[in-house]
C-alpha cells in the first residue's frame, strides 16, 4: 500500500496511527477452521478464554487494517462516497480502540476486552446496508457509461470485504458466546447437531411469510431428507443461505404463475448426506435464467428486482425483503465458502433453476482470508 493511496487517511489520523495501520495491513492474517473453533471452545475454561482474547487482541487489528487500507484505495471513486467513508471510519475507530487496549494478562482484562469487542461488533452492525448505499451511488454515477460486467475489480473487492466481515463477526461472536450458558448441543455459535431439514423448514416459513407480504400468496415448498440427520455447523449461517435461495425460488415461481388458472408447482428442497459434504438442492419451475444472465447473479450491482430503500434495518445481516439489493446470492456463496463449502446455480431457461448448496461436513478447512 503506497503512501499516495493512504493520503486521505493521513489527513484524518496522527502520523503514529497512520504508520501503525500501514504496518498492520502488511501483516499476515491467521485463519481458523470450524473444527478448531469447536475443539478450542468445547471447554471454555478461564485459560482458554484468556488465550482466545489474546489471539483476538492481536488478530482483529490486522484484519481491520487490511480493510481500512483497501477502503481507502477503491477504483471508480468508490472511496469518496459518503457511505463508504462512514464504513471506513467505523473500521478505523475499531482498529484504534483495539490498539489502545493494553496487553491482556488476567481475567479482569479479558472481561473488559470482551465488553470492548461486543461494542465493536455493534458498531459494525450496519456495514452491509451502508456499503450497499455506496455501491448504489456508484451504480447511479456509472449509469450507461460502463457496463456492470466491465468493473470486475469492484466485485472482487466486495468479495474480499464481505468475506473478511463474515470472519471478523464469527470470531467475535464465537468468543462472546463462549461466555454465555449455551444449550447442550452448542459450542459458542456452533451447533454440534444441526438438522438441515429443520433449518430448511424454518427458512421456508420465513421466506413464505415474506412472499405472502409481497404478493398476497406463496407457492408450496416440499422438503426431502432425513429429519434425524445432524452435523456440526453454524445454524444462523445455514438459515441465511437457505432463506435467500428459497426466497429467490418463491419469487420466480410466484411471478411466473401469478396469472395462471392452476396452482403454482411446488419448490423442492432435497437434503443429501455425503461423506465429505452435506448438499442441499433447491429446485423450482420459475422459468429459469438466460445463460447470458447467469454470471450477473454473482455480482453485487445486479438485481432483477427494483432497488429497495436501505433504511430501518433490524437484523443487520441479509436484507429480509423479497428482492432488490443484488446482494443475496454473492453473500450466500461467501457464507458457504467461509467453512469450505460452495454454492452453484444451474438454470434451464424456460423451465426453472436448481441451486446446489455444498457444506463441508468435515469442518477442517481454514477461513479463506482475503
Amino acid at each position: 500500500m503506497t503512501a499516495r493511496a493512504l493520503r486521505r487517511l493521513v489527513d484524518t489520523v496522527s502520523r503514529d496511527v497512520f504508520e501503525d495501520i500501514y504496518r498492520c495491513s502488511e501483516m499476515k492474517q491467521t485463519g481458523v477452521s470450524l473444527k478448531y473453533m469447536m475443539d478450542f471452545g468445547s471447554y471454555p475454561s478461564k485459560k482458554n478464554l484468556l488465550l482466545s482474547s489474546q489471539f483476538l487482541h492481536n488478530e482483529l487489528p490486522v484484519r481491520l487494517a487490511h480493510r481500512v487500507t483497501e477502503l481507502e484505495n477503491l477504483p471508480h471513486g468508490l472511496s469518496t462516497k459518503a457511505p463508504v467513508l462512514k464504513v471506513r471510519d467505523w473500521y478505523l475507530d475499531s482498529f484504534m480502540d483495539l490498539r489502545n487496549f493494553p496487553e491482556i494478562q488476567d481475567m479482569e482484562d479479558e472481561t473488559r476486552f470482551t465488553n470492548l469487542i461486543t461494542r465493536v461488533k455493534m458498531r459494525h452492525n450496519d456495514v452491509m446496508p451502508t456499503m450497499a448505499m455506496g455501491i448504489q451511488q456508484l451504480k447511479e454515477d456509472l449509469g450507461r457509461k460502463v457496463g456492470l460486467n466491465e468493473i470486475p475489480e469492484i466485485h472482487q473487492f466486495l468479495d474480499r470485504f464481505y468475506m473478511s466481515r463474515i470472519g471478523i463477526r464469527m470470531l467475535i461472536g464465537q468468543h462472546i458466546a463462549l461466555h454465555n450458558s449455551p444449550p447442550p448441543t452448542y459450542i459458542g455459535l456452533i451447533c454440534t447437531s444441526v438438522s438441515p431439514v429443520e433449518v430448511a423448514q424454518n427458512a421456508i416459513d420465513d421466506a413464505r411469510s415474506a412472499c405472502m407480504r409481497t404478493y398476497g400468496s406463496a407457492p408450496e415448498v416440499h422438503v426431502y431428507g432425513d429429519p434425524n440427520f445432524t452435523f456440526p455447523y453454524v445454524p444462523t449461517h445455514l438459515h441465511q443461505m437457505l432463506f435467500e435461495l428459497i426466497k429467490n425460488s418463491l419469487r420466480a415461481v410466484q411471478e411466473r404463475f401469478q396469472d395462471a388458472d392452476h396452482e403454482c408447482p411446488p419448490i423442492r428442497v432435497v437434503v443429501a448426506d455425503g461423506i465429505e459434504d452435506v448438499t442441499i438442492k433447491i429446485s423450482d419451475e420459475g422459468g429459469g435464467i438466460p445463460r447470458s444472465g447467469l454470471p450477473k447473479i454473482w455480482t453485487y450491482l445486479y438485481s432483477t428486482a427494483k432497488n429497495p430503500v436501505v433504511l430501518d434495518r433490524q437484523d443487520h445481516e441479509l436484507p429480509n425483503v423479497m428482492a432488490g439489493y443484488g446482494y443475496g446470492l454473492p453473500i450466500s456463496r461467501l457464507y458457504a465458502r467461509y467453512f469450505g463449502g460452495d454454492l452453484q446455480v444451474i438454470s434451464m431457461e424456460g423451465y426453472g433453476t436448481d441451486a446446489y448448496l455444498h457444506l463441508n461436513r468435515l469442518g477442517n478447512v481454514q477461513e479463506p482470508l482475503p
Side-chain angles (χ1 to χ4, degrees):
M1 191 61 60
T2 64
R4 182 173 173 271
L6 290 171
R7 187 177 296 157
R8 282 170 302 158
L9 196 58
V10 85
D11 295 335
T12 308
V13 298
S14 69
R15 168 60 66 175
D16 286 348
V17 171
F18 167 79
E19 290 178 349
D20 194 25
I21 291 169
Y22 174 82
R23 195 161 48 245
C24 286
S25 73
E26 296 288 293
M27 293 171 70
K28 193 174 184 298
Q29 302 168 95
T30 305
V32 295
S33 67
L34 180 71
K35 187 176 186 306
Y36 177 84
M37 288 187 206
M38 287 177 59
D39 291 345
F40 187 84
S42 59
Y43 182 61
S45 62
K46 288 184 177 180
K47 180 186 176 185
N48 277 358
L49 289 172
L50 199 61
L51 287 170
S52 173
S53 62
Q54 289 166 343
F55 169 72
L56 292 179
H57 187 239
N58 291 323
E59 178 66 15
L60 290 175
V62 173
R63 296 196 185 195
L64 292 168
H66 277 258
R67 303 285 73 82
V68 170
T69 52
E70 192 167 33
L71 284 164
E72 186 70 10
N73 192 35
L74 298 174
H76 302 286
L78 185 56
S79 291
T80 64
K81 303 297 180 199
V84 177
L85 285 169
K86 182 185 283 190
V87 170
R88 184 204 70 179
D89 287 346
W90 286 336
Y91 275 71
L92 178 61
D93 290 344
S94 297
F95 173 85
M96 292 168 66
D97 285 350
L98 287 160
R99 294 298 276 174
N100 289 333
F101 196 93
E103 289 296 318
I104 300 165
Q105 297 178 337
D106 54 36
M107 288 308 293
E108 190 176 325
D109 293 342
E110 193 278 335
T111 300
R112 289 191 304 111
F113 180 77
T114 302
N115 291 335
L116 168 62
I117 60 174
T118 302
R119 294 194 299 273
V120 165
K121 190 167 183 278
M122 288 176 64
R123 174 187 287 148
H124 292 241
N125 276 347
D126 286 327
V127 161
M128 278 189 66
T130 307
M131 186 61 83
M133 291 172 73
I135 297 299
Q136 183 59 30
Q137 288 178 15
L138 173 67
K139 191 174 174 181
E140 289 165 3
D141 281 357
L142 295 174
R144 293 190 183 87
K145 290 182 293 185
V146 180
L148 297 181
N149 294 333
E150 292 174 34
I151 46 172
E153 61 272 29
I154 293 290
H155 304 303
Q156 290 159 9
F157 154 70
L158 289 168
D159 270 347
R160 291 192 300 272
F161 180 79
Y162 287 124
M163 183 63 87
S164 171
R165 171 180 159 80
I166 290 168
I168 289 169
R169 292 182 78 77
M170 182 66 203
L171 290 182
I172 293 177
Q174 180 70 1
H175 180 82
I176 293 168
L178 290 175
H179 287 74
N180 304 327
S181 299
T185 57
Y186 274 76
I187 299 172
L189 299 178
I190 304 161
C191 178
T192 57
S193 56
V194 173
S195 163
V197 169
E198 185 181 323
V199 175
Q201 196 58 63
N202 291 335
I204 288 164
D205 293 343
D206 289 350
R208 290 189 80 241
S209 294
C211 189
M212 291 286 284
R213 288 195 301 271
T214 303
Y215 297 103
S217 63
E220 291 292 319
V221 185
H222 300 161
V223 183
Y224 303 87
D226 179 1
N228 296 316
F229 164 65
T230 63
F231 77 116
Y233 207 73
V234 181
T236 52
H237 287 193
L238 182 55
H239 182 279
Q240 286 182 349
M241 292 183 282
L242 288 174
F243 171 80
E244 180 63 33
L245 294 168
I246 293 163
K247 182 200 71 176
N248 285 352
S249 287
L250 286 169
R251 181 167 74 92
V253 171
Q254 183 69 31
E255 292 186 353
R256 188 185 187 199
F257 290 95
Q258 59 188 357
D259 297 324
D261 54 5
H262 56 86
E263 284 189 8
C264 295
I267 291 153
R268 294 163 54 89
V269 177
V270 181
V271 178
D273 163 23
I275 294 171
E276 291 183 14
D277 282 354
V278 175
T279 303
I280 304 173
K281 181 174 76 166
I282 296 94
S283 299
D284 67 58
E285 296 176 35
I289 304 161
R291 203 150 48 91
S292 63
L294 274 174
K296 294 179 186 175
I297 68 173
W298 303 113
T299 70
Y300 294 89
L301 299 179
Y302 175 78
S303 173
T304 55
K306 294 176 182 176
N307 287 295
V309 179
V310 192
L311 293 172
D312 298 322
R313 298 283 301 108
Q314 295 301 320
D315 62 351
H316 307 300
E317 298 296 341
L318 294 184
N320 193 21
V321 294
M322 279 309 285
Y325 287 80
Y327 263 48
L329 281 175
I331 292 287
S332 295
R333 185 165 66 173
L334 294 182
Y335 271 105
R337 288 178 172 175
Y338 178 69
F339 283 129
D342 208 353
L343 173 59
Q344 295 170 307
V345 173
I346 298 170
S347 183
M348 292 174 67
E349 186 184 8
Y351 180 76
T353 302
D354 289 348
Y356 291 85
L357 179 60
H358 303 280
L359 309 169
N360 180 304
R361 69 174 298 181
L362 305 177
N364 58 352
V365 178
Q366 282 198 346
E367 301 170 273
L369 295 173

